Amino acid sequence: MKNIAVFASGRGTNFSAIAQAVKKGSLKVNLALLVCDNPRAPVLQKARMFKIKIALVQREEEIIRSLRENKIDLVVMAGFMRMLSADFIHAYRNRIINIHPALLPSFKGAQGIKDAFSYGVKITGVTVHFVDEQMDHGPIILQKEIVIREFDTLKSLEARIHKTEHLLYPQAIKLIAQGKIKLEGRKVRITGREVE
Ligand code: GAR
């Protein structure tokens, strides 16, 4: 079974969705660690509730040490507000994934939902991708579209985006854990996927 670490700096609703899927048994991985760089982040309380080990870190050496100690196979970034160095990404190449609240390559950055809403696009969505040296850039694993309706407000859109994230992220982790993801250059191929 794969040992995974979730990296989060804030609310941790994606962390909770992953922890819940693991607890239910629908996601068969060992959620070994929460890595957090913010001592006041609400995600810490969520990790305590799920009895997940916490590494509160400031420096990248500390992160690497705790990943090694806990034999982490897969790093799952869920609202971790710090860029990882090129050395770190190199050491964990193709073993770091991220979730972004827009359809990449559109609306990169920290405000993906708001930027898409203000731009006036009719379709936005959620992307799960491998992390490379550039922000919100690596090979795309899964995407799910969300249609922006006439009566949507930023708030109602945010709610739908988050709901979608909470379904899509556990699905992507499951595909990786089952060995169903093959990388060919920038292209991610999904093999033997169940029809949903
Ligand atoms: C999520 O919406 C995630 O997509 C976003 O941070 C939020 C974390 O929420 N990440 C990015 O914007 C990355 N560019 P959470 O702490 O409730 O899981």
Side-chain angles (χ1 to χ4, degrees):
M1 190 164 24
K2 273 203 190 299
N3 293 326
I4 72 166
V6 174
F7 283 33
S9 308
R11 286 185 315 159
T13 63
N14 281 285
F15 168 84
S16 289
I18 294 162
Q20 196 58 49
V22 171
K23 194 174 164 190
K24 263 192 349 210
S26 59
L27 178 58
K28 291 185 178 50
V29 296
N30 176 30
L31 176 45
L33 192 65
L34 168 74
V35 173
C36 180
D37 60 345
N38 173 8
R40 290 213 289 262
V43 68
L44 294 170
Q45 186 51 33
K46 295 184 167 103
R48 287 184 205 110
M49 218 178 72
F50 282 101
K51 300 194 165 47
I52 304 299
K53 198 191 241 185
I54 296 169
L56 197 54
V57 295
Q58 285 310 323
R59 290 176 304 124
E60 212 168 85
E61 305 88 84
E62 300 171 280
I63 301 181
I64 290 174
R65 195 179 330 119
S66 57
L67 294 186
R68 291 205 175 122
E69 274 169 16
N70 292 280
K71 300 188 170 30
I72 297 301
D73 305 299
L74 181 69
V75 168
V76 175
M77 313 258 286
F80 192 64
M81 289 310 170
R82 189 180 282 236
M83 284 290 284
L84 297 167
S85 73
D87 282 349
F88 183 93
I89 289 163
H90 185 73
Y92 281 85
R93 164 116 12 235
N94 301 334
R95 292 190 293 150
I96 312 172
I97 60 174
N98 182 42
I99 191 157
H100 184 72
L103 292 178
L104 291 175
S106 292
F107 306 112
K108 297 176 178 179
Q111 313 260 5
I113 308 175
K114 194 165 167 231
D115 291 346
F117 187 75
S118 316
Y119 194 93
V121 291
K122 304 290 185 193
I123 300 174
T124 184
V126 173
T127 303
V128 178
H129 65 96
F130 285 108
V131 171
D132 67 9
E133 285 80 0
Q134 296 175 50
M135 190 184 57
D136 297 330
H137 175 267
I140 291 171
I141 303 168
L142 290 179
Q143 282 187 313
K144 179 76 187 162
E145 77 285 357
I146 292 173
V147 172
I148 301 180
R149 305 174 191 134
E150 286 303 315
F151 48 83
D152 261 319
T153 60
L154 178 58
K155 211 158 172 228
S156 68
L157 178 63
E158 275 170 353
R160 297 216 322 287
I161 295 263
H162 292 311
K163 201 165 160 204
T164 300
E165 287 189 323
H166 301 159
L167 296 173
L168 203 67
Y169 220 1
Q171 269 177 33
I173 298 166
K174 187 172 178 177
L175 289 169
I176 295 172
Q178 291 174 331
K180 291 183 176 172
I181 298 287
K182 300 274 172 287
L183 246 178
E184 291 169 17
R186 263 208 73 85
K187 288 240 172 74
V188 169
R189 295 208 183 283
I190 304 176
T191 56
R193 193 171 179 198
E194 293 153 28
V195 179
E196 279 154 16

